[in-house]
Amino acid sequence: MQQAFPFRSAPETLPVSAKSFNKRTTDYSIKHLFNKDTLVNCLSSDRRIMITSVILFGIVLLFTYPRYLELIFDHNLGVNYAYFFDKISDPLSAARANQETHGGKIDFRFTVPLLARMLGVTAGSNGLSVVIIYLIQSALLVPFLFMLTKILLRRLAPMTVLLFITGSTTIYLAKAFFWDYDFWFDAFAYFFLTLGMFLKNRVGVFLSLTLACWTDERAVIALASVYLFHLLSESDFELNSFLQFQGKKEWLQKTSSTVLLAGIFYLIIRILLSTLFNLHTPTGAGSGVELGLVPYQFKHRLSGVFLAFEGFWILYLFAVGLLIKKGNTLLSLLMLFLMAGHILVAYAVFDISRSLTYAFPLLIISVFIIGKQEVRNTKYLYLAATTICVLLPTQYVIFYPRQIPWTILSFEELKPVIKLLFLQ
């Protein structure tokens, strides 16, 4: 009788060597590691985003030599950086440094000196206590990357976000958290600007943007881009006329209005401080802040425009091109006008890279515009932009382009620092 469920003989198989089996297993593991779904999973929860941010923090540190650690061995710290210690001890006094130098322009930069004062840093402090401020700045890179990722995930696919974040870690935007040449503290400003875009609580937005403004005046200029970001976020990234936002009783309850209030508050307090304490930021001939520098800078340092964002210029230009193609004249002109303003400011001073990087909110707006238009095969666009950022060594442009050195190649310089920090 035929069985209802006959057993079938197993097919003959060739013996597989252990070496062949291990090779196939290894190949599978590598493919699994670089599988798209596996990569995307690193952004699937807040915990994984934080872990990813920590890993990227380590990569940025690995490829960025933290020059500020040299302060530990500076025996004339109080003399060489007297302007910073003066600001800590007497925040409302006018800077006594040469007006052409960075130290001569910090009259209204209170955020970090007040932080240093809270930490007990004084003119008699040694380099190690000063470096604590820089270590705090470096540590802020982790929440900065976390917030940037969360902002992008609001409207973009995880793989797109991962590419953008990876590219961000290889340009000055992320490098600034480690590479601070002369008490600049740009990373504090970048962090607070990002916090002002991440938060939706109006009080939080106001406080974070206020702290950014009192870190560096370039953050005040960046408020225009942050305002546009919130304005577009409130209208599903559609802007055809400003009339659609006029006459609304709830305008003051919108986050975008908070950005304007932060800017107005800053300007009022700045005018009062200028009047009462004779504080000012030097401008004009011989100050290093003048429109007369622009033609010379454009002639000799035009590369600074490209090197500020490297491959990400592709995303910005593509977004503007899309707006023009779709007939959105208002938004395309705003994008061009705001970027032109940032470029003009960057070339009216010596620090081109630092200044132009404050335009990074426009990059976030750009990728959201691209996402809104639902363009096909944008993954190749992001891949190209990120690849350029990764492959091109980060340059800082001031009097001349210079490469931010790699920590991994600077072990000899770091050895005495490691010794001092951990072995004594």
Side-chain angles (χ1 to χ4, degrees):
M1 180 182 293
Q2 186 178 4
Q3 294 181 358
F5 301 99
F7 292 99
R8 295 180 181 177
S9 60
E12 291 186 32
T13 56
L14 295 173
V16 180
S17 68
K19 182 177 180 181
S20 175
F21 176 78
N22 289 337
K23 182 179 185 301
R24 288 195 301 187
T25 304
T26 304
D27 289 345
Y28 173 79
S29 300
I30 293 173
K31 287 179 181 178
H32 179 71
L33 179 63
F34 291 99
N35 182 274
K36 178 182 176 181
D37 293 335
T38 305
L39 291 172
V40 166
N41 282 339
C42 68
L43 304 181
S44 60
S45 67
D46 286 355
R47 178 175 172 273
R48 291 184 175 183
I49 293 172
M50 181 59 72
I51 293 172
T52 302
S53 299
V54 172
I55 293 172
L56 291 174
F57 168 92
I59 293 173
V60 178
L61 174 60
L62 185 65
F63 291 99
T64 312
Y65 175 53
R67 297 174 62 91
Y68 53 76
L69 290 178
E70 297 170 2
L71 295 172
I72 293 176
F73 304 104
D74 190 343
H75 301 296
N76 296 314
L77 196 66
V79 176
N80 296 336
Y81 300 100
Y83 61 85
F84 181 67
F85 294 105
D86 288 344
K87 198 66 181 173
I88 295 173
S89 59
D90 190 1
L92 295 177
S93 64
R96 292 178 290 179
N98 188 313
Q99 66 171 4
E100 190 177 5
T101 65
H102 167 73
K105 302 181 180 68
I106 64 169
D107 277 11
F108 297 100
R109 301 177 187 179
F110 299 112
T111 301
V112 180
L114 288 177
L115 171 64
R117 184 166 180 158
M118 290 171 57
L119 294 173
V121 177
T122 63
S125 300
N126 58 28
L128 188 59
S129 64
V130 175
V131 165
I132 292 174
I133 304 168
Y134 286 97
L135 292 177
I136 293 172
Q137 178 174 245
S138 297
L140 288 178
L141 179 59
V142 174
F144 170 81
L145 292 173
F146 178 87
M147 291 188 296
L148 185 56
T149 302
K150 293 288 287 183
I151 291 170
L152 294 170
L153 283 173
R154 293 172 186 174
R155 290 179 172 268
L156 299 178
M159 194 62 194
T160 299
V161 174
L162 191 59
L163 285 171
F164 187 91
I165 295 296
T166 301
S168 299
T169 60
T170 63
I171 61 176
Y172 184 72
L173 178 62
K175 300 278 189 180
F177 286 82
F178 291 103
W179 200 79
D180 194 325
Y181 192 77
D182 198 14
F183 289 81
W184 292 332
F185 303 121
D186 294 312
F188 278 96
Y190 300 159
F191 170 81
F192 288 124
L193 287 171
T194 305
L195 183 61
M197 291 186 287
F198 172 74
L199 296 174
K200 295 182 180 179
N201 176 276
R202 295 175 71 248
V203 174
V205 171
F206 180 86
L207 291 176
S208 59
L209 294 180
T210 299
L211 288 171
C213 291
W214 294 115
T215 303
D216 194 293
E217 287 84 352
R218 279 160 278 224
V220 183
I221 299 165
L223 287 186
S225 302
V226 176
Y227 172 72
L228 180 61
F229 168 82
H230 281 294
L231 196 64
L232 291 171
S233 298
E234 294 163 356
S235 59
D236 194 28
F237 273 74
E238 292 287 346
L239 183 62
N240 297 310
S241 171
F242 280 116
L243 295 177
Q244 67 191 63
F245 300 101
Q246 292 182 355
K248 291 187 176 180
K249 294 180 181 179
E250 68 274 14
W251 180 81
L252 284 175
Q253 298 177 352
K254 290 184 176 294
T255 309
S256 57
S257 67
T258 306
V259 181
L260 292 180
L261 292 175
I264 293 169
F265 175 77
Y266 169 82
L267 292 175
I268 291 173
I269 300 300
R270 183 183 174 107
I271 292 171
L272 287 174
L273 293 176
S274 178
T275 303
L276 296 174
F277 300 99
N278 196 31
L279 303 181
H280 71 287
T281 299
T283 58
S287 67
V289 182
E290 55 176 316
L291 291 176
L293 281 174
V294 175
Y296 179 84
Q297 296 272 68
F298 272 130
K299 182 178 180 181
H300 298 281
R301 304 183 185 109
L302 190 58
S303 62
V305 173
F306 169 72
L307 292 173
F309 294 127
E310 299 176 4
F312 282 163
W313 281 111
I314 295 174
L315 302 176
Y316 169 78
L317 294 173
F318 190 80
V320 173
L322 278 177
L323 292 173
I324 295 173
K325 183 179 179 181
K326 296 289 184 180
N328 196 330
T329 306
L330 176 60
L331 187 51
S332 60
L333 287 176
L334 279 173
M335 292 288 288
L336 290 169
F337 176 77
L338 290 175
M339 186 60 80
H342 280 287
I343 293 174
L344 185 64
V345 170
Y347 278 81
V349 297
F350 292 124
D351 299 331
I352 297 171
S353 301
R354 292 179 57 210
S355 302
L356 191 47
T357 302
Y358 279 85
F360 77 90
L362 291 177
L363 297 180
I364 299 174
I365 295 173
S366 297
V367 297
F368 281 169
I369 289 171
I370 296 172
K372 173 71 176 177
Q373 300 300 327
E374 298 181 354
V375 182
R376 296 179 63 184
N377 295 324
T378 53
K379 61 182 179 181
Y380 299 111
L381 187 73
Y382 284 94
L383 188 59
T386 301
T387 300
I388 293 173
C389 291
V390 171
L391 295 181
L392 188 68
T394 303
Q395 303 281 338
Y396 179 82
V397 184
I398 180 167
F399 292 107
Y400 54 88
R402 54 187 174 188
Q403 183 180 337
I404 296 177
W406 291 0
T407 302
I408 198 171
L409 299 178
S410 307
F411 182 69
E412 288 303 316
E413 288 82 354
L414 285 176
K415 255 200 308 194
V417 177
I418 295 171
K419 236 180 186 181
L420 181 66
L421 289 175
F422 299 106
L423 302 181
Q424 289 188 5

